[in-house]
Amino acid sequence: KALGDINNTQLREWEIEERDYRLAIGALQVGGASLGVFSVGLPTDFIVNVSVTSRDRYIPIFIVAAASVVVIGYIVSRFITVPLSQLVQASLAVSQGDLQRRTGVDSPDEIGTLAKTFDIMTESLDKRTEELQISLRRQRETTGRMEAILSSMGDGVLFEEIGGEIMPLNKAAEEMLIQMADNFMLGPLQELAAVGQDWAEEARKNPWLLDSRRFQVGERVFTVHSAAVRTDESERLGTVIVLRDITAEVEAERLKDAFVVHVSHELRTPLTVIKGYSALLSSMGEDSLDEKQKYFLEAILNNTDDLIMMVNTILDYSEIEAKGQLGLRPQSVDFSVLVREITDEWKPQMEDKGLDFDVEIPSAVPVVYADARRLRWVLVNIVRNACQYTPEGGSVDVKLSVNDGNIIVDVTDTGMGLSAEDQRRIFSRFYRVMKVQEDEKRGIGLGLYVSRAIAEAHGGELSLVSEVGAGSTFTFKIPIAQPDSESEKGN
């Protein structure tokens, strides 16, 4: 039967041997000329059979492929998720403090690289933590020792922070603060200033920066030593303060000083008698005494002068310690005459020791208003030191000059010189340089200490420049001050 035409092609169905066929019949044309007729025939169930056959063939293939995808996906997921799970478990363990835990992942991919990096980081962290623990144990041991040392100290230790808050560091400090509070009812807190204490500008802003201070509260006396606490980078953290109760020592010093002053005053009378009668005996018996007797009398006079000088030194020292300064009796003093008198007195001793003694005094020297007896004391001390500490064959030079409103006396010797340590302590009380022969060691170590106090009391200064083996130069400087009217009337 005919089914219709498609593009001049006729479709027809035929039944051949009980099977339906579909035929396509059309003209065969070439260049518009009909050459004949063609026909194509196929069974009508050809497409259905092919589809069924293809479906039956590909269903197993699809099943196998799907199963393969599932299996491969599972394998791939396990390959990825297992290392990640190990990495997560290791991370959780490390976060909980188990620094010995490792991932255990060993693969060449990115996850393996991440796991190896994590293990290296954990190992480094473990080592660093162990080092910190060791350092912490050592620090705790050091802190424990320091606390034990501070607890066993009799001195009180405090720490002042940058903000000014003061914190006691040991039991002794707490007890001393309680004592100070209790004694505050007996008398206010007052500072016992040291003579010549140098208050630098930084120390004025923070007085704790002074190396040493002394306070009295009621009946108790405390010394305070302080030092700045700084880091290795010089950053200031605060100030450590050490308190010491010196009430007993101060009382002992007071009694000692009182005794010394009393004895010194009592010695002056017999010494004056000895000196007076020795001088009288020397002058009256000049023709009847032989050389040995004259030598004995001269020795008595010289040693009596030394004793009187020592007594006067002790009394001056006691006055400095008691009042903080020397009492001066100023008057008009011709400084050039004073220097000339002292150098004339010491010239024979310089010649006896074989020293070249040179004195340089200008023609015009202003008159100063000062305590003549105290000035003589300073000049005699520095000239005596030059004589004692200069070996035979050396030289001592005394030079008087006027410069910038000051009268300056330089005493230069070619003696043994002083080390840096000796120079630092030479003006301290009771300090003596023990480098001369025993018979030349005269004095009690107070001469230069009192001399500097005298210079400072006059508004001047006493300084030293020295070099070991090259000698020393003492410089005494005093300003040319004019007297005020009240002082001049009183004198």
Side-chain angles (χ1 to χ4, degrees):
K1 61 180 177 181
L3 299 175
D5 296 336
I6 300 176
N7 296 331
N8 297 325
T9 300
Q10 298 179 2
L11 298 177
R12 296 176 182 271
E13 289 186 354
W14 297 78
E15 183 177 351
I16 303 174
E17 295 181 355
E18 298 181 355
R19 187 176 182 185
D20 294 332
Y21 287 88
R22 183 173 291 178
L23 299 175
I25 301 172
L28 178 61
Q29 295 180 346
V30 177
S34 298
L35 300 179
V37 178
F38 71 90
S39 176
V40 178
L42 291 173
T44 57
D45 60 351
F46 175 78
I47 299 301
V48 176
N49 291 336
V50 171
S51 298
V52 172
T53 302
S54 298
R55 182 183 64 190
D56 294 340
R57 183 182 299 168
Y58 285 111
I59 284 177
I61 295 175
F62 288 151
I63 293 173
V64 172
S68 299
V69 170
V70 172
V71 172
I72 293 173
Y74 177 75
I75 294 174
V76 171
S77 66
R78 290 286 297 173
F79 185 77
I80 295 175
T81 58
V82 170
L84 286 176
S85 177
Q86 292 175 331
L87 185 57
V88 170
Q89 294 298 323
S91 300
L92 291 174
V94 170
S95 67
Q96 294 174 1
D98 184 8
L99 299 180
Q100 302 294 329
R101 184 71 175 270
R102 300 293 182 267
T103 62
V105 177
D106 186 12
S107 59
D109 56 6
E110 288 81 0
I111 296 179
T113 303
L114 178 61
K116 289 179 181 178
T117 304
F118 182 82
D119 289 342
I120 293 173
M121 181 188 68
T122 305
E123 183 178 0
S124 176
L125 181 61
D126 186 23
K127 291 181 179 178
R128 180 60 178 166
T129 302
E130 184 178 359
E131 292 174 357
L132 289 176
Q133 289 176 346
I134 294 174
S135 177
L136 182 59
R137 284 197 301 270
R138 291 177 178 173
Q139 185 176 3
R140 287 176 178 172
E141 292 174 357
T142 303
T143 303
R145 286 195 295 267
M146 290 298 297
E147 290 179 352
I149 292 172
L150 288 173
S151 299
S152 62
M153 287 179 60
D155 296 340
V157 183
L158 303 97
F159 180 74
E160 182 197 24
E161 298 180 349
I162 296 295
E165 182 179 355
I166 297 179
M167 175 177 59
L169 299 182
N170 62 352
K171 186 68 174 177
E174 297 176 358
E175 293 176 352
M176 288 185 184
L177 292 176
I178 293 174
Q179 290 178 5
M180 294 175 70
D182 293 340
N183 278 270
F184 191 79
M185 301 299 295
L186 302 177
L189 175 68
Q190 58 179 338
E191 182 170 3
L192 307 177
V195 178
Q197 190 175 48
D198 184 15
W199 285 71
E201 184 62 28
E202 187 176 4
R204 293 179 186 275
K205 297 178 181 178
N206 185 0
W208 289 123
L209 294 179
L210 291 173
D211 291 338
S212 179
R213 303 172 71 187
R214 179 178 289 193
F215 295 93
Q216 182 174 357
V217 186
E219 298 178 352
R220 313 298 296 181
V221 180
F222 299 88
T223 57
V224 179
H225 299 273
S226 58
V229 179
R230 301 184 184 276
T231 63
D232 295 337
E233 292 77 21
S234 297
E235 179 185 0
R236 187 168 175 269
L237 301 178
T239 307
V240 63
I241 304 167
V242 179
L243 294 176
R244 176 174 295 178
D245 188 345
I246 60 167
T247 305
E249 290 85 344
V250 170
E251 181 63 19
E253 288 182 2
R254 188 187 66 80
L255 294 175
K256 179 191 68 177
D257 292 341
F259 173 76
V260 170
V261 171
H262 177 73
V263 171
S264 299
H265 278 292
E266 294 300 322
L267 285 175
R268 296 181 78 170
T269 300
L271 286 175
T272 303
V273 173
I274 294 173
K275 180 179 175 61
Y277 281 110
S278 298
L280 180 61
L281 182 60
S282 177
S283 60
M284 293 179 60
E286 183 176 357
D287 297 333
S288 59
L289 298 176
D290 56 28
E291 293 299 323
K292 179 177 285 189
Q293 292 171 335
K294 291 180 181 179
Y295 174 79
F296 290 157
L297 280 176
E298 184 177 355
I300 292 173
L301 287 172
N302 291 336
N303 283 274
T304 302
D305 289 337
D306 290 340
L307 282 174
I308 294 175
M309 178 200 68
M310 292 180 188
V311 169
N312 290 333
T313 303
I314 293 173
L315 293 175
D316 288 339
Y317 166 74
S318 300
E319 184 178 357
I320 295 173
E321 292 296 303
K323 301 179 181 179
Q325 60 182 357
L326 284 169
L328 300 180
R329 295 181 179 179
Q331 57 183 350
S332 298
V333 179
D334 189 334
F335 212 87
S336 60
V337 173
L338 181 62
V339 172
R340 178 67 67 184
E341 289 177 354
I342 293 172
T343 53
D344 289 344
E345 292 174 4
W346 279 89
K347 186 174 183 180
Q349 298 186 46
M350 297 287 184
E351 293 176 349
D352 292 342
K353 195 173 180 180
L355 301 179
D356 184 10
F357 190 43
D358 183 45
V359 180
E360 181 180 342
I361 300 176
S363 56
V365 177
V367 174
V368 298
Y369 193 69
D371 189 326
R373 183 177 69 87
R374 305 289 191 183
L375 295 185
R376 169 178 284 274
W377 166 266
V378 176
L379 295 174
V380 168
N381 263 284
I382 57 179
V383 172
R384 178 191 294 109
N385 281 341
C387 180
Q388 288 183 346
Y389 290 94
T390 303
E392 184 178 352
S395 63
V396 175
D397 297 331
V398 177
K399 180 181 179 181
L400 177 63
S401 60
V402 180
N403 184 24
D404 195 21
N406 294 293
I407 294 181
I408 303 171
V409 179
D410 293 312
V411 179
T412 305
D413 62 66
T414 58
M416 62 183 185
L418 297 174
S419 65
E421 175 65 18
D422 287 333
Q423 293 182 53
R424 187 179 66 84
R425 302 176 59 189
I426 192 66
F427 293 104
S428 302
R429 58 182 183 177
F430 303 115
Y431 182 76
R432 303 193 67 240
V433 180
M434 308 301 289
K435 295 182 180 178
V436 294
Q437 295 180 1
E438 188 65 29
D439 58 351
E440 294 180 342
K441 293 178 183 178
R442 300 294 178 87
I444 52 178
L446 289 173
L448 292 177
Y449 172 79
V450 175
S451 296
R452 170 170 278 190
I454 293 172
E456 293 175 351
H458 284 86
E461 63 180 32
L462 178 62
S463 59
L464 166 67
V465 176
S466 183
E467 183 179 350
V468 176
S472 306
T473 298
F474 282 90
T475 301
F476 174 41
K477 181 187 297 185
I478 181 173
I480 304 173
Q482 297 296 326
D484 58 350
S485 58
E486 293 299 325
S487 299
E488 200 164 15
K489 288 178 183 178
N491 287 280

